[in-house]
C-alpha cells in the first residue's frame, strides 16, 4: 500500500510538472504580446494583463465547484484529463490570437476547464494519510516550483524568436501531458468514497456554504483569501514590475522566474518535510506568513537587479505557510468531501484572482502612470505585505477560538 501511494504521488507530480511548465512558458512574453496587440505602454499593458487574469478567474470561480463535485462522483482521472485538454486549446488561442479579444476567448476556455490543480489537490488528499497530507501538498508546490524553473526559462529564450512561439510550445507540451495522463495516471478515488453530484453544492456559493458549516474552515478561508490576494503583488506584476524598474528583457524575466522556481521547489520539495514536522502545522503557518511579508517589502524597495534574486530566498521560504494551512483544513473534512474542499480552495483562489489583479495591477499601473501622486512601482508589494500580516492575525484568532490551540 505504501509503495502504491508513493507511485501515485509520483504520477501526479509529473503530470503537474508538465502542466506548470506549459503555464510558465508564456509568462515572460505576455507583456510584449499585449503591447503588440494594443500599442500600449508597459503601465497600460499591466492593466490589460490584470483583466486577462480576472477573465480566467471569473470562469474558474463559476465552474471549479462543478468540476470538484464531478471528481467526487466520477473520479479524479477523467476530470483531470479534460482540464488538460482545455488548457491545450487555450494556448492555441493565445498563439494565433489576432486581437486582444481573442486572448480573452482563450482565457475564458481555460477558466471553464481549468481544474487540473483542483483535482490534483483532491488526488493528493485521496492517497495521503493524515500525517503525510501537508508534506504531499508540498509536492504540488514542488511541481509548481520545478515547472517555473523550466517553463519561464524556455519561454524567455523562445520569446526572442517571436512573441507567439512560446504559446505554441505550451500548447504542444500540455497536449502531450494529456496523453501522458491518459496512459499512465491511475484513478485515486475509491468507489466507496464517492458521492452523488448535487447542483446545490456544485456552485460557488453553495460550495463555500457547505464547507462553512465547519467553523474553523470558514475562518481560515478568510485568512487564506488575504494570502491569495496579496500573492498577486508578485504573480500578476513580476514581469511588468521588473520591466519598469530594471528594464529586464523577456530572457531576463524568464531566468529570474526560473530562480524563483528553483528556490521554491527546494522549500516545497525538501525543507518543508523537515520544517513542518519539527515546528508543527500551526507554527509553520505563522513563520511562513512572516517570511512572505518580509519578502514583499524587500522586493518593493529593491534598487538593483541582483537584489531581486537575493530576496527571493526570503520570499520563497514563506512557502511553508500554504501546505501547513491546507494540511490543517484537510483534516477537518471527511474523505468523501476532499474534492469539494479542493474545489472550495479553487473558488476562493478565483475570487481572489478577480480582486487581486485589479487591486495589485491597478496599484502598479496607477503609481507608474502620469496621474500618480508620486512614482513608486513597489506600491502593490507593500500592500501585499500588509495583507499577509493581516492573514496571520486572522488565522491565529480563528484557530485559538475554534481549536483551542
Amino acid at each position: 500500500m505504501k509503495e502504491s501511494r508513493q507511485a501515485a504521488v509520483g504520477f501526479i507530480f509529473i503530470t503537474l510538472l508538465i502542466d506548470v511548465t506549459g503555464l510558465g512558458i508564456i509568462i515572460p512574453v505576455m507583456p510584449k504580446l499585449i503591447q503588440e496587440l494594443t500599442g500600449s505602454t508597459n503601465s497600460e499593458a499591466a492593466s490589460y494583463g490584470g483583466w486577462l487574469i480576472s477573465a480566467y478567474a471569473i470562469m474558474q470561480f463559476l465552474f471549479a465547484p462543478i468540476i470538484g463535485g464531478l471528481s467526487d462522483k466520477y473520479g479524479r482521472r477523467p476530470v483531470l484529463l479534460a482540464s488538460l485538454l482545455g488548457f491545450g486549446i487555450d494556448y492555441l488561442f493565445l498563439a494565433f490570437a489576432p486581437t486582444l479579444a481573442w486572448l480573452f476567448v482563450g482565457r475564458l476556455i481555460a477558466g471553464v476547464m481549468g481544474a487540473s490543480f483542483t483535482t490534483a489537490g483532491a488526488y493528493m488528499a485521496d492517497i495521503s494519510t493524515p500525517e503525510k497530507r501537508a508534506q504531499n501538498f508540498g509536492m504540488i508546490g514542488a511541481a509548481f516550483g520545478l515547472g517555473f524553473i523550466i517553463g519561464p526559462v524556455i519561454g524567455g529564450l523562445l520569446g526572442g524568436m517571436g512573441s507567439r512561439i512560446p504559446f505554441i510550445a505550451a500548447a504542444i507540451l500540455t497536449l502531450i501531458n494529456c496523453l501522458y495522463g491518459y496512459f499512465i495516471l491511475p484513478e485515486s478515488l475509491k468507489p466507496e468514497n464517492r458521492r452523488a453530484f448535487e447542483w446545490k453544492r456544485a456552485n460557488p456559493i453553495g460550495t463555500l456554504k457547505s464547507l462553512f458549516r465547519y467553523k474553523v474552515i470558514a475562518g481560515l478561508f478568510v485568512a487564506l483569501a488575504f494570502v491569495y490576494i496579496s500573492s498577486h503583488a508578485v504573480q500578476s506584476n513580476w514581469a511588468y514590475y521588473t520591466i519598469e524598474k530594471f528594464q529586464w528583457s523577456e530572457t531576463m524575466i524568464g531566468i529570474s522566474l526560473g530562480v524563483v522556481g528553483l528556490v521554491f521547489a527546494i522549500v516545497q520539495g525538501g525543507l518543508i518535510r523537515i520544517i513542518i514536522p519539527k515546528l508543527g502545522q500551526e507554527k509553520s503557518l505563522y513563520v511562513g506568513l512572516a517570511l512572505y511579508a518580509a519578502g514583499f517589502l524587500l522586493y518593493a524597495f529593491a534598487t538593483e537587479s541582483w537584489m531581486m534574486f537575493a530576496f527571493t530566498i526570503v520570499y520563497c521560504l514563506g512557502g511553508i505557510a500554504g501546505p501547513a494551512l491546507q494540511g490543517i483544513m484537510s483534516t477537518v473534512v471527511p474523505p468523501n468531501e476532499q474534492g469539494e474542499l479542493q474545489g472550495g480552495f479553487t473558488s476562493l483562489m478565483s475570487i481572489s484572482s478577480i480582486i487581486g489583479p485589479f487591486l495589485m495591477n491597478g496599484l502598479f499601473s496607477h503609481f507608474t502612470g502620469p496621474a500618480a501622486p508620486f512614482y513608486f512601482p513597489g506600491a502593490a508589494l507593500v500592500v501585499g505585505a500588509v495583507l499577509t500580516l493581516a492573514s496571520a492575525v486572522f488565522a491565529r484568532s480563528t484557530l485559538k477560538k475554534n481549536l483551542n490551540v
Side-chain angles (χ1 to χ4, degrees):
M1 179 65 72
K2 183 177 180 180
E3 291 180 356
S4 176
R5 283 175 175 165
Q6 289 176 340
V9 170
F11 286 140
I12 203 70
F13 175 80
I14 294 297
T15 298
L16 280 175
L17 174 61
I18 297 174
D19 196 22
V20 176
T21 299
L23 179 63
I25 284 175
I26 71 173
I27 294 176
V29 294
M30 185 61 80
K32 181 179 179 181
L33 179 61
I34 293 174
Q35 290 180 61
E36 287 178 357
L37 292 176
T38 63
S40 60
T41 64
N42 181 59
S43 180
E44 294 166 340
S47 294
Y48 290 122
W51 278 89
L52 285 167
I53 297 171
S54 294
Y56 173 86
I58 290 170
M59 300 307 291
Q60 193 172 63
F61 173 66
L62 294 174
F63 285 89
I66 297 175
I67 298 300
L70 290 174
S71 79
D72 280 340
K73 179 177 181 180
Y74 296 107
R76 319 302 186 198
R77 185 176 182 274
V79 173
L80 184 59
L81 295 178
S83 71
L84 294 175
L85 180 62
F87 270 119
I89 295 172
D90 165 47
Y91 292 138
L92 290 175
F93 269 95
L94 297 177
F96 298 103
T99 65
L100 186 65
W102 282 100
L103 294 185
F104 280 96
V105 172
R107 291 282 78 190
L108 292 174
I109 293 173
V112 172
M113 302 298 293
S116 59
F117 307 127
T118 303
T119 312
Y123 195 108
M124 281 299 192
D126 292 339
I127 63 176
S128 300
T129 58
E131 63 272 14
K132 289 289 185 180
R133 275 183 177 152
Q135 290 93 325
N136 285 344
F137 281 129
M139 292 300 293
I140 295 178
F144 269 85
L146 288 175
F148 278 113
I149 296 169
I150 301 168
V153 174
I154 294 174
L157 294 173
L158 292 178
M161 302 167 57
S163 60
R164 309 285 182 148
I165 301 299
F167 298 96
I168 296 174
I172 294 172
L173 197 59
T174 303
L175 294 175
I176 289 174
N177 188 18
C178 186
L179 289 175
Y180 166 82
Y182 180 81
F183 289 108
I184 301 297
L185 191 68
E187 180 55 62
S188 66
L189 186 63
K190 297 177 182 179
E192 61 268 25
N193 286 333
R194 301 187 184 189
R195 67 174 177 86
F197 179 83
E198 301 177 56
W199 277 107
K200 67 179 180 180
R201 295 172 67 174
N203 65 80
I205 306 303
T207 295
L208 294 176
K209 277 185 176 180
S210 178
L211 291 172
F212 278 9
R213 69 183 182 276
Y214 305 103
K215 292 183 178 179
V216 67
I217 293 291
L220 292 179
F221 260 45
V222 176
L224 194 60
F226 286 143
V227 174
Y228 285 158
I229 292 172
S230 68
S231 71
H232 284 280
V234 172
Q235 292 178 12
S236 299
N237 275 326
W238 182 271
Y240 305 101
Y241 178 73
T242 54
I243 289 171
E244 181 72 26
K245 197 164 185 178
F246 306 111
Q247 293 77 51
W248 282 6
S249 65
E250 292 90 348
T251 300
M252 189 64 172
I253 293 170
I255 292 173
S256 69
L257 288 172
V259 171
V260 172
L262 176 60
V263 179
F264 193 70
I266 292 172
V267 172
Q268 296 288 312
L271 293 181
I272 199 172
R273 295 175 177 271
I274 301 172
I275 296 172
I276 290 182
K278 187 171 183 178
L279 296 181
Q281 291 183 340
E282 188 190 1
K283 189 174 291 185
S284 296
L285 170 61
Y286 303 140
V287 171
L289 291 175
L291 289 169
Y292 263 143
F296 282 128
L297 292 175
L298 289 170
Y299 280 151
F301 295 100
T303 56
E304 302 288 344
S305 289
W306 66 265
M307 293 180 179
M308 298 298 289
F309 291 88
F311 297 157
T312 290
I313 297 174
V314 177
Y315 179 77
C316 289
L317 280 171
I320 64 174
L325 184 54
Q326 282 191 306
I328 292 170
M329 296 171 78
S330 69
T331 59
V332 178
V333 302
N336 66 347
E337 294 183 14
Q338 290 294 330
E340 187 174 34
L341 175 63
Q342 299 304 321
F345 285 148
T346 305
S347 291
L348 183 64
M349 188 180 295
S350 297
I351 295 173
S352 304
S353 294
I354 295 170
I355 300 170
F358 279 127
L359 175 62
M360 301 305 180
N361 285 41
L363 283 169
F364 171 82
S365 182
H366 179 68
F367 281 94
T368 57
F374 55 91
Y375 180 78
F376 183 40
L381 294 161
V382 172
V383 173
V386 172
L387 289 175
T388 302
L389 292 175
S391 173
V393 172
F394 203 94
R396 174 59 182 162
S397 175
T398 299
L399 291 174
K400 186 175 181 180
K401 181 178 180 180
N402 293 284
L403 296 183
N404 296 317
V405 295

